[in-house]
Amino acid sequence: MTQSESAVQQTKHAALGLTDDQAIEMYTLMTTARRYDERCLLLQRAGKIKFHVSGIGQEAAQVGAAFALDRNQDYYLPYYRDYAFVLAVGMTLRELMLSLFSKAADPNSGGRQMPGHFGSKRLRIVTGSSPVTTQVPHAVGFALAAKMKKQDFVSFVTFGDGSSNQGDFHEGANFAGVHKLPVIFMCENNQYAISVPIHKQIGGKIADRALGYGFPGYSVDGNDPLEVYRVVKEARERAANGEGPTLVEAVMYRLSPHSTSDEDLAYRTKEEVDSHRDKDGLPKFKQYLIDSGIWDEERDAALMQQIKAALDDATSYGDQSAFPEPEDILKHVYAEDHGEGGR
């Protein structure tokens, strides 16, 4: 890197209005999510949990987007790989572990759903269902409510590249475009819909699909949290100003298998995966902070110890917490408050 290139890089987060502490917080959350993901894989292999869907390689886009949103009022409809995102908007490691171990105190679903099905009334994370892409029309519905009630929140929804082919995405995008709703669609394009590579599932760019529905679409480097932050922040300003939706295609790579039930080397080579490790947003952002003069290896080592201690605490807490009682089998399944008029 030349001296001039380094100078440009060093000022990037400041030029976007982010402080040094905020840039370090971004890196901390990205690293925490990565270590959490790795811990989940170890727990599954040890037989402590049954199943895990990994998001390794997608943390940069998730954290960058979260920082661009209003964490005091916006509503979020994440998809099942968004560990970094939900951590960034306020979910704790203990809460994630309660979900992972299917425990009664799990705030996401009371231990009823698979891990990765996030939900938190406190954080305005809307519970997702298992069929992929169903969160998209739900997000559009929240945006419609914001417009009808003249409220200031923006609805933010994420989904994978495979999901962008589902009818739910196209119907939701069309409705949002027609009514100029305050919703941001973010596709985390990790290059694979389970085992189907991007070139066999999509003709053209995902971002270009927005044009058919009357709103802008942008393709952005999903390995760069600052670039994702910039684009999502602009999208939020558009939505808040009544200018309608935006589609953001964050292009990254899924470094891990689709899930712990997947053998990814059956459909892609080790060489392909390794070639994308050089583009991984986490080590690249760490180097950016070092080049900016606000981070060093000593602080990084201390952070790793802090994250390990927090993960050890959360793992023990989740493992030792109580399972749901058999007599509570219908709790969190049917609505308990039916409002005026009863059933």
Side-chain angles (χ1 to χ4, degrees), residues 7-29:
V8 170
Q9 193 179 43
Q10 288 172 14
T11 60
K12 185 171 183 179
H13 67 276
L16 292 170
L18 293 165
T19 66
D20 290 350
D21 286 345
Q22 286 176 309
I24 290 170
E25 185 185 1
M26 278 184 160
Y27 173 67
T28 300
L29 287 162

Side-chain angles (χ1 to χ4, degrees), residues 13-139:
H13 67 276
L16 292 170
L18 293 165
T19 66
D20 290 350
D21 286 345
Q22 286 176 309
I24 290 170
E25 185 185 1
M26 278 184 160
Y27 173 67
T28 300
L29 287 162
M30 289 165 60
T31 306
T32 301
R34 178 68 60 91
R35 300 288 94 84
Y36 168 80
D37 218 318
E38 293 168 347
R39 177 66 62 90
C40 292
L41 294 173
L42 290 174
L43 289 169
Q44 193 275 336
R45 289 168 185 162
K48 299 289 288 184
I49 63 170
K50 296 295 184 182
F51 183 71
H52 175 62
V53 180
S54 178
I56 292 177
Q58 301 184 212
E59 301 93 347
Q62 294 171 15
V63 171
F67 269 67
L69 300 168
D70 188 330
R71 284 178 274 183
N72 293 316
Q73 65 177 7
D74 290 343
Y75 280 80
Y76 315 116
L77 294 94
Y79 93 126
Y80 52 81
R81 298 188 195 278
D82 280 354
Y83 307 107
F85 180 84
V86 297
L87 284 169
V89 298
M91 194 165 281
T92 69
L93 286 173
R94 279 190 168 193
E95 289 173 330
L96 286 178
M97 283 294 180
L98 285 169
S99 176
L100 190 70
F101 284 99
S102 301
K103 295 305 177 71
D106 164 33
N108 296 276
S109 69
R112 269 67 174 174
Q113 269 281 25
M114 291 188 296
H117 290 68
F118 309 107
S120 172
K121 187 174 183 180
R122 170 177 63 90
L123 299 171
R124 299 172 312 286
I125 299 172
V126 182
T127 300
S129 59
S130 291
V132 297
T133 329
T134 52
Q135 72 273 19
V136 173
H138 296 164

